[in-house]
C-alpha cells in the first residue's frame, strides 16, 4: 500500500540515485510503503522506475536490486560512477523483504586500518554503498575524540593533557577500546575540530537514510591521573599499559554518564552504544562475578545519560581468550544485563561462531557477523562455500540473529566475500555457483561474461576454498610481508609455504590469465572492479612465487657463498610485483600517506600524521617491540619494492652465516631490521613512480615471467 505523503527519506535517496545514475536518475520516483519490516516494491515502464519502500535503506536496496536484475550491473567499492545508463529498461512488478531487521557494519579497527584519513567525498561514497547493500546499523566512531575531550575537560583535565592522552589520530580506535593511550601523538586541536564536523556530517547522512548509528561508549579506561586517585587496575595489551577503573568506584558510572552526555550534545543519539570493556584484556579481577559488576556499572552510566540506552558489545573476547571466558563467566556477565539492554555482535561467526556455544548469548538480541580481514591485509582468500550454510544455520536457531553484519578490520579487500554476506541480509543463497555467476555478470556490466565467469570459477577452486584454514595473520602469511628471521628454519618455512598452497597453482594462473585477457581486450573495464580483481589475483599468485623462490635460496645456501643468482631472482619478485601494484593508486603506500598528510594544519601535524600512516602498517608499535610487527602487512607499491625487499636482502646477506651455525647472525639481522624500520618511520617510501604503466601490460609481463615458478614438487593435487 502506498501512502499519499512523500517519505522523509526520499530526497536523500534521490541524491544517491543521482550519484549512481547521473542524469537518468531524474526518471526514478520514490514513494512510502506500509509494512512491519523492511520491504520494497518496484516496477519500471516507459523509462520511469517507481520504487515504494518502508524506509530509505530499503528504497536504496530496491534501486540496487533493479540495477542488478534488470540492467545487469551492480555498484561495488570500485565501480566507476555514475553508471553509463542512458535509459531505464522496463521491469515487471517486483517485491522484496529483508530476511533480518538489521545490517551491521564496521569494526572499531576499521577506523584505523581503512578510514582514518577519509574526507567527506570518501565517506559519502561509502554511505551510499552501505545503503545500496542494506546496512542499517553502522558503527560511527569518527569524531569521538571531541566527545572525550569535552568529558575530560568537564572533569578538570587541561587541553594539553587530554590531547596527549588521546594520542595519535591513526590509533584513536584502539584508544577508544581501551587498548592504549598517549601513543604516537599528540592529537592536534585542528584534528579534533575538523573531525567533530566530519563525524556530525556522517551521522546526519546515515540518519537521513533511516540508519541507526552505533556510537562509542565508556569502557572504564582512564588517564593515569584519574587512576591514581581512584580504585583502578593496571592492564597490558600488546606491551601497552593502560589503567581501568574498578566498577565499584563511583567515578566509573559518573564518567560513563559524562561521556554519554557530551556525545548526545555533540552528535545526538539513536540510543545504541558500543563499548568493549575487556576486548583483548583479561578483567583486572578474576572473580567470576566481576564481569557482571562491570556490566552493571557500564549500563548504569549509559542510562544515567540516556534512559533508552542499548549497549552493543563485540563478542570477540569470548573467542580470543576462550580459556578465561568459560561458560560460567560469560553467562554471569550476560545475565547481569536486562535482555532488552544489550545487543551482542558475534564478530567472527564465519569461522568461530559463538552463538551455539553460549545459547544464542543467553537469548539476548545478537548479530551474525563476518570478520575475515585482519589489519587490512591484501592477501585474497575466504571460504565462500561455507558462508551461506553458516548464515542459514544461524537463522534457523531457536533465537535467530536480529541482523547480519560485516565486521572486517579493514575494507576494500576480498569484495566477493563481503558482497556475498551483505546480499544475504535480503536474499537467501541456495546455490553459490549461480550466485557467483550473477555476481560476475553484474560486477563487470555483462561484458565478456564467459571468460570472466571461467576466471572466477578458477578463483573459487583456489583462493576462495581454503578448506578450513583460518584467514589469520598468524596462519595466512607469505614471506613477502613477514619479518625475516633465521629462527624460522628451512623445515618450518617449507611447512608454512606448503600450508598456504592448498590448491593447484595452475588453476590460479589460468584464472589470472583469463582476467588479463579481458583487460587487454577492454582496457576501459580495467579502470573499475576488473582492475582491483587483477591486482588481488596477481598478489595471490606472486606471493606464492615469492614463497617458492625463498625456499630455492635456502636450498642453495649451505655454504657461506650460496647462490647469488637465486637470491637475486627472489628479490626481483619484489621489484616486479611493485611495478604492477603501482598501476592502481589504492595499492600504493604514497596514496595512504598523502591522505594522512592532507589533514595537517602545520608542520608538526604533518610529522605526526606521516608517522602514524607509516607506523601502523609496519612496526605498529615501536621498532623494538615485535608483538604487532607487520600485523597490517600490505602488498602496496612503495612497501613491496622498498621496505619489504630491503628486509629480505638483509636476510639473504647473512643467510650463509646463519646456516653455518654463527650464533651472532640472528642478533645482527634483528639490529639491521630495526635500523631499516626506523629509517622507514623517518623517511617513508619515497616518491611514487611518475609513470606507473598499464595494469594489463604489467600483469601479463608478470604472468609470462613467472608462469613456471610453481611447478612440482610444490604443486598440490586435490
Amino acid at each position: 500500500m502506498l501512502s499519499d505523503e512523500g517519505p522523509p527519506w526520499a530526497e536523500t535517496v534521490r541524491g544517491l540515485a543521482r550519484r549512481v545514475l547521473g542524469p537518468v536518475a531524474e526518471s526514478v520516483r520514490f514513494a512510502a510503503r506500509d509494512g512491519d519490516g523492511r520491504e520494497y516494491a518496484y516496477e519500471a515502464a516507459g523509462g520511469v522506475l517507481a520504487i515504494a519502500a518502508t524506509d530509505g535503506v530499503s528504497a536504496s536496496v530496491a534501486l540496487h536490486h533493479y540495477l542488478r536484475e534488470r540492467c545487469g550491473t551492480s555498484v561495488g567499492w570500485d565501480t566507476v560512477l555514475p553508471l553509463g545508463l542512458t535509459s531505464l529498461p522496463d521491469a515487471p512488478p517486483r517485491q522484496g523483504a529483508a530476511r533480518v531487521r538489521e545490517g551491521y557494519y564496521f569494526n572499531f579497527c576499521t577506523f584505523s586500518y581503512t578510514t582514518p584519513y577519509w574526507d567527506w567525498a570518501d565517506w559519502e561514497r561509502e554511505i551510499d554503498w552501505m545503503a545500496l547493500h542494506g546496512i542499517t546499523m553502522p558503527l560511527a566512531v569518527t569524531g569521538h575524540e571531541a566527545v572525550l575531550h569535552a568529558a575530560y575537560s568537564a572533569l578538570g583535565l587541561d587541553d594539553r593533557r587530554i590531547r596527549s592522552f588521546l594520542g595519535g589520530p591513526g590509533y584513536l580506535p584502539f584508544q577508544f577500546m581501551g587498548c592504549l593511550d598517549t601513543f604516537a601523538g599528540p592529537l592536534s586541536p585542528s584534528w579534533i575540530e575538523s573531525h567533530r564536523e566530519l563525524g556530525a556530517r556522517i551521522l546526519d547522512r546515515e540518519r537521513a537514510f533511516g540508519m541507526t548509528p552505533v556510537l562509542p561508549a565508556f569502557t572504564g579506561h582512564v588517564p593515569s591521573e584519574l587512576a591514581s586517585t581512584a580504585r583502578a587496575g593496571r592492564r597490558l595489551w600488546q606491551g601497552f599499559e593502560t589503567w581501568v577503573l574498578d566498577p565499584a568506584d563511583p567515578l566509573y558510572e559518573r564518567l560513563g554518564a559524562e561521556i554519554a552526555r557530551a556525545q548526545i550534545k555533540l552528535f545526538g543519539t539513536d540510543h545504541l552504544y558500543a563499548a568493549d570493556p575487556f576486548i583483548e584484556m583479561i578483567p583486572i579481577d578474576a572473580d567470576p562475578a566481576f564481569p557482571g559488576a562491570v556490566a552493571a556499572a557500564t549500563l548504569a552510566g549509559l542510562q544515567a545519560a540516556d534512559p533508552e540506552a542499548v549497549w552493543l558489545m563485540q563478542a570477540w573476547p569470548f573467542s580470543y581468550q576462550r580459556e578465561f571466558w568459560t561458560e560460567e563467566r560469560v553467562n554471569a556477565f550476560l545475565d547481569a544485563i536486562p535482555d532488552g539492554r544489550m545487543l551482542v555482535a558475534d564478530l567472527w561467526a564465519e569461522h568461530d561462531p559463538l552463538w551455539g556455544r553460549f545459547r544464542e548469548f543467553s537469548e539476548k538480541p545478537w548479530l551474525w557477523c563476518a570478520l575475515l580481514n585482519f589489519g587490512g591485509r591484501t592477501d585474497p582468500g575466504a571460504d565462500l562455500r561455507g558462508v551461506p550454510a553458516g548464515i542459514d544455520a544461524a537463522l534457523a536457531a531457536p533465537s535467530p540473529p536480529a541482523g547480519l553484519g560485516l565486521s572486517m578490520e579493514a575494507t576494500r579487500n576480498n569484495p566477493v566475500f563481503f558482497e556475498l554476506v551483505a546480499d544475504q541480509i535480503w536474499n537467501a543463497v541456495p546455490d553459490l555457483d549461480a550466485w557467483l555467476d550473477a555476481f560476475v555478470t553484474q560486477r563487470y556490466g555483462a561484458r565478456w561474461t564467459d571468460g570472466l565467469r571461467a576466471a572466477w570459477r578458477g578463483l573459487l577452486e583456489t583462493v576462495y576454498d581454503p578448506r578450513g584454514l583460518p584467514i589469520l595473520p598468524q596462519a595466512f602469511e607469505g614471506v613477502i610481508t613477514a619479518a625475516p628471521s633465521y629462527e624460522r628454519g628451512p623445515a618450518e618455512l617449507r611447512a608454512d609455504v606448503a600450508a598456504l598452497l592448498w590448491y593447484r597453482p595452475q588453476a590460479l594462473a589460468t584464472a589470472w590469465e583469463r582476467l588479463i585477457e579481458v583487460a587487454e581486450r577492454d582496457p576501459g573495464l580495467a579502470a573499475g572492479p576488473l582492475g582491483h580483481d587483477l591486482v588481488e589475483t596477481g598478489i595471490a599468485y606472486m606471493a606464492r612465487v615469492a614463497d617458492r623462490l625463498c625456499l630455492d635460496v635456502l636450498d642453495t645456501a649451505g655454504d657461506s657463498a650460496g647462490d647469488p643468482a637465486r637470491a637475486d631472482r627472489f628479490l626481483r619478485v619484489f621489484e616486479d610485483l611493485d611495478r604492477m601494484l603501482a598501476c592502481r593508486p589504492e595499492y600504493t603506500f604514497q596514496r595512504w600517506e598523502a591522505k594522512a598528510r592532507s589533514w595537517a594544519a602545520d608542520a608538526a601535524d604533518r610529522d605526526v600524521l606521516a608517522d602514524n600512516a607509516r607506523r601502523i602498517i609496519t612496526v605498529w608499535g615501536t621498532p623494538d617491540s615485535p608483538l604487532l610487527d607487520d600485523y597490517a602487512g600490505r602488498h602496496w607499491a612503495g612497501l613491496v619494492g622498498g621496505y619489504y625487499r630491503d628486509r629480505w636482502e638483509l636476510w639473504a646477506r647473512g643467510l650463509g652465516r646463519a646456516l653455518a651455525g654463527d650464533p651472532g647472525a640472528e642478533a645482527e639481522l634483528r639490529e639491521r631490521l630495526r635500523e631499516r624500520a626506523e629509517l622507514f618511520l623517518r623517511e617513508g617510501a619515497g616518491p611514487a613512480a611518475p609513470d606507473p604503466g598499464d595494469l594489463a601490460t604489467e600483469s601479463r609481463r608478470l604472468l609470462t615471467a613467472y608462469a613456471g615458478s610453481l611447478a612440482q614438487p610444490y604443486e598440490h593435487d586435490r
Side-chain angles (χ1 to χ4, degrees):
M1 174 180 175
L2 301 182
S3 71
D4 295 328
E5 185 176 353
W9 43 260
E11 188 54 40
T12 301
V13 184
R14 283 192 196 100
L16 178 154
R18 294 186 191 106
R19 290 185 291 275
V20 169
L21 297 175
V24 78
E26 302 311 314
S27 298
V28 184
R29 306 285 182 266
F30 295 101
R33 175 185 175 88
D34 293 336
D36 295 330
R38 298 188 184 276
E39 301 175 6
Y40 71 74
Y42 75 69
E43 63 179 305
V48 175
L49 170 63
I51 293 174
T54 53
D55 57 278
V57 171
S58 297
S60 304
V61 170
L63 175 62
H64 199 209
H65 283 184
Y66 167 79
L67 292 172
R68 293 168 61 187
E69 294 159 2
R70 309 306 301 183
C71 305
T73 187
S74 62
V75 179
W77 286 319
D78 304 293
T79 304
V80 178
L81 296 178
L83 301 171
L85 298 177
T86 57
S87 63
L88 299 176
D90 289 355
R94 158 86 152 88
Q95 297 187 22
R99 303 171 77 200
V100 291
R101 178 71 189 175
E102 307 295 351
Y104 180 67
Y105 196 45
F106 287 133
N107 179 313
F108 272 89
C109 301
T110 325
F111 292 83
S112 270
Y113 292 132
T114 297
T115 73
Y117 312 118
W118 279 7
D119 56 22
W120 172 244
D122 298 315
W123 272 109
E124 183 172 56
R125 171 75 187 246
E126 187 75 357
I127 296 167
D128 285 350
W129 184 96
M130 289 155 53
L132 291 165
H133 289 79
I135 300 303
T136 62
M137 188 183 283
L139 181 64
V141 169
T142 306
H144 186 59
E145 53 272 31
V147 171
L148 296 180
H149 190 280
Y152 284 116
S153 295
L155 288 178
L157 271 67
D158 65 57
D159 167 73
R160 184 179 296 274
R161 178 63 189 105
I162 295 170
R163 289 189 292 108
S164 174
F165 171 67
L166 292 173
Y171 292 82
L172 283 170
F174 296 93
Q175 208 278 358
F176 301 159
M177 289 187 288
C179 299
L180 50 71
D181 59 51
T182 319
F183 179 72
L187 198 63
S188 71
S190 67
W191 176 280
I192 295 174
E193 178 59 22
S194 63
H195 283 74
R196 180 193 61 77
E197 295 173 355
L198 179 60
R201 195 171 185 182
I202 291 166
L203 288 166
D204 286 347
R205 178 63 59 81
E206 291 173 346
R207 288 167 176 155
F209 275 110
M211 299 176 188
T212 52
V214 184
L215 301 178
F218 182 55
T219 64
H221 171 217
V222 293
S224 57
E225 296 94 315
L226 295 183
S228 65
T229 59
R231 293 176 60 180
R234 172 180 173 270
R235 298 191 304 188
L236 286 176
W237 177 83
Q238 302 293 343
F240 294 97
E241 180 184 82
T242 56
W243 291 88
V244 62
L245 290 175
D246 188 300
D249 192 304
L251 183 59
Y252 193 112
E253 181 179 335
R254 177 190 169 196
L255 190 48
E258 193 72 54
I259 289 171
R261 290 190 188 102
Q263 185 156 251
I264 292 168
K265 181 178 180 179
L266 290 176
F267 296 127
T269 185
D270 296 274
H271 314 296
L272 287 172
Y273 302 91
D276 295 287
F278 312 116
I279 204 63
E280 295 181 352
M281 293 165 282
I282 298 295
I284 57 174
D285 189 326
D287 186 334
F290 183 78
V294 173
T298 300
L299 190 59
L302 284 172
Q303 290 185 290
D306 178 3
E308 299 178 57
V310 175
W311 173 12
L312 185 149
M313 197 190 87
Q314 301 177 132
W316 179 250
F318 309 153
S319 173
Y320 185 78
Q321 291 168 325
R322 62 177 59 236
E323 296 82 7
F324 177 85
W325 287 104
T326 61
E327 186 172 353
E328 177 190 13
R329 281 196 170 97
V330 171
N331 289 336
F333 171 72
L334 294 174
D335 290 344
I337 306 164
D339 288 348
R341 294 298 183 180
M342 171 163 272
L343 181 62
V344 181
D346 198 352
L347 210 67
W348 198 21
E350 87 277 12
H351 179 76
D352 185 23
L354 301 176
W355 59 269
R357 181 180 162 204
F358 297 116
R359 297 182 292 111
E360 294 95 63
F361 303 103
S362 297
E363 300 183 0
K364 284 185 166 50
W366 64 285
L367 305 167
W368 188 102
C369 297
L371 202 167
L372 185 70
N373 185 270
F374 292 83
R377 304 179 68 81
T378 45
D379 317 64
D383 181 7
L384 292 189
R385 294 200 181 277
V387 168
I391 291 175
D392 288 347
L395 292 175
S399 297
L404 305 180
L406 310 181
S407 56
M408 63 284 252
E409 288 191 351
T411 68
R412 302 303 189 272
N413 59 81
N414 292 292
V416 64
F417 175 83
F418 295 110
E419 294 275 351
L420 175 61
V421 176
D423 208 20
Q424 291 174 87
I425 296 172
W426 283 78
N427 302 312
V429 179
D431 183 342
L432 179 67
D433 295 284
W435 181 91
L436 187 64
D437 280 350
F439 166 83
V440 171
T441 299
Q442 296 157 9
R443 183 164 174 78
Y444 305 116
R447 288 184 280 177
W448 313 100
T449 301
D450 289 344
L452 290 167
R453 283 182 174 177
W456 274 92
R457 281 193 288 272
L459 295 176
L460 183 59
E461 294 170 6
T462 56
V463 294
Y464 289 117
D465 186 12
R467 304 294 175 93
L469 179 72
I471 310 301
L472 271 170
Q474 299 94 318
F476 193 79
E477 182 178 45
V479 301
I480 289 178
T481 60
S485 172
Y486 302 129
E487 293 180 348
R488 192 182 186 189
E492 182 182 354
L493 182 59
R494 190 174 298 278
D496 290 344
V497 167
L500 291 177
L501 201 57
W502 62 82
Y503 50 83
R504 293 184 304 108
Q506 186 54 47
L508 179 60
T510 300
W512 189 20
E513 182 163 27
R514 284 174 170 148
L515 294 176
I516 293 170
E517 287 171 350
V518 173
E520 291 170 335
R521 293 172 185 168
D522 193 345
L525 206 56
L530 178 60
H532 177 100
D533 300 338
L534 265 179
V535 173
E536 276 203 346
T537 308
I539 289 171
Y541 190 82
M542 294 304 297
R544 303 292 77 80
V545 168
D547 295 346
R548 163 64 195 270
L549 296 182
C550 182
L551 290 179
D552 283 353
V553 176
L554 277 171
D555 289 343
T556 61
D559 57 61
S560 59
D563 184 346
R566 294 205 179 195
D568 290 345
R569 180 165 170 76
F570 168 54
L571 296 173
R572 195 176 307 125
V573 172
F574 293 75
E575 300 160 10
D576 288 343
L577 178 55
D578 199 89
R579 284 177 55 182
M580 184 195 78
L581 296 167
C583 297
R584 290 281 291 199
E586 71 269 34
Y587 282 94
T588 63
F589 170 79
Q590 291 84 356
R591 184 176 188 242
W592 169 256
E593 183 173 315
K595 292 285 285 186
R597 287 176 176 268
S598 70
W599 288 99
D602 54 33
D605 273 7
R606 282 193 295 275
D607 289 345
V608 170
L609 287 159
D611 171 84
N612 284 201
R614 297 166 184 172
R615 186 177 297 273
I616 202 165
I617 60 171
T618 54
V619 299
W620 209 102
T622 70
D624 298 317
S625 173
L627 294 175
L628 288 169
D629 197 12
D630 303 305
Y631 177 81
R634 301 182 186 187
H635 297 88
W636 278 356
L639 289 177
V640 171
Y643 182 69
Y644 295 145
R645 182 200 177 280
D646 291 352
R647 298 197 309 179
W648 281 101
E649 183 178 22
L650 293 168
W651 171 85
R653 287 179 191 171
L655 181 60
R657 288 175 50 206
L659 293 178
D662 185 338
E666 178 69 21
E668 183 173 335
L669 175 62
R670 289 182 182 179
E671 178 60 20
R672 299 290 84 78
L673 293 176
R674 186 188 63 78
E675 292 171 354
R676 183 62 183 90
E678 290 182 342
L679 177 65
F680 183 82
L681 294 179
R682 289 195 307 271
E683 300 183 3
D691 182 10
D694 173 71
L695 178 57
T697 301
E698 289 299 320
S699 300
R700 173 67 70 182
R701 183 180 65 82
L702 283 184
L703 180 61
T704 301
Y706 294 98
S709 298
L710 294 179
Q712 293 283 359
Y714 301 98
E715 185 169 331
H716 290 192
D717 293 316
R718 290 203 298 188

